[in-house]
Amino acid sequence: DGGVRIVGEGSLFLTGLSMQSGGQITVEGEANIITNGVVSGLQGKLGVSGAGELKLYVSEQIQLGIQDTIGSDDARKLAIFYSGTQDVELGIQTNFKGVVYAPNATISPDPQGFIRGSLVGKRIVVDPQAFIYEDPNLGEWDAGMIGEGSGASVRDVLAWSQQ
């Protein structure tokens, strides 16, 4: 299988989280990763298996690569909380299943990618060819930090406009 496995519960504090081309990280417990940035190359994999759950707290940069696979079969298992202001790059033809909460940033999903979950941002730019699918599991999810103080749940749309 190869790659890095994170097993058990706990928190990791990393300067950066980087996956080289074909790199793989699998979370098998309840993990919190606090980092400045997440960057991946071609066909990187960040997965959550079994009863695992990953909360990623990112302060400066999210830049996914080409044809990455991020998340698991259940969007509740991956939540990315981004406090930075740079655009969130979900990667070209990336398969992403999870939640991205980036209240200060623009999120632009790739039109050839697959997004199943929820995107919350200052601005979300969706190409007419792009698809974002809601994961039905999110209706049962305690979003924790996402709804604190705002009164909003993952399913609420706080503002909408079309150009």
Side-chain angles (χ1 to χ4, degrees):
D1 219 17
V4 174
R5 288 178 44 216
I6 300 172
V7 180
E9 295 183 20
S11 296
L12 294 171
F13 299 87
L14 306 172
T15 303
L17 179 63
S18 177
M19 293 180 290
Q20 300 299 322
S21 291
Q24 181 172 335
I25 299 172
T26 304
V27 175
E28 297 178 359
E30 291 187 19
N32 297 308
I33 297 177
I34 298 95
T35 183
N36 293 332
V38 176
V39 178
S40 68
L42 175 68
Q43 297 177 340
K45 294 181 180 174
L46 175 59
V48 184
S49 67
E53 181 179 300
L54 174 60
K55 290 185 180 175
L56 234 131
Y57 299 91
V58 183
S59 61
E60 295 176 16
Q61 177 185 27
I62 298 174
Q63 183 179 10
L64 302 181
I66 299 171
Q67 298 176 341
D68 285 345
T69 301
I70 310 295
S72 73
D73 58 341
D74 184 341
R76 295 178 295 184
K77 294 184 178 190
L78 172 65
I80 300 175
F81 303 98
Y82 177 57
S83 60
T85 57
Q86 291 185 30
D87 290 356
V88 174
E89 298 179 30
L90 294 181
I92 297 170
Q93 297 178 347
T94 290
N95 181 351
F96 179 87
K97 295 179 183 173
V99 174
V100 176
Y101 179 72
N104 304 312
T106 297
I107 305 171
S108 302
D110 180 67
Q112 297 175 353
F114 177 85
I115 308 292
R116 180 174 297 279
S118 180
L119 304 176
V120 179
K122 180 176 184 178
R123 185 169 181 239
I124 299 174
V125 179
V126 181
D127 184 279
Q129 303 296 317
F131 290 96
I132 301 173
Y133 300 92
E134 177 185 21
D135 187 311
N137 294 313
L138 289 176
E140 305 164 8
W141 185 51
D142 176 10
M145 201 174 129
I146 288 178
E148 282 184 10
S150 69
S153 72
V154 175
R155 291 182 148 195
D156 290 336
V157 176
L158 300 179
W160 177 266
S161 68
Q162 186 173 357
Q163 297 179 344

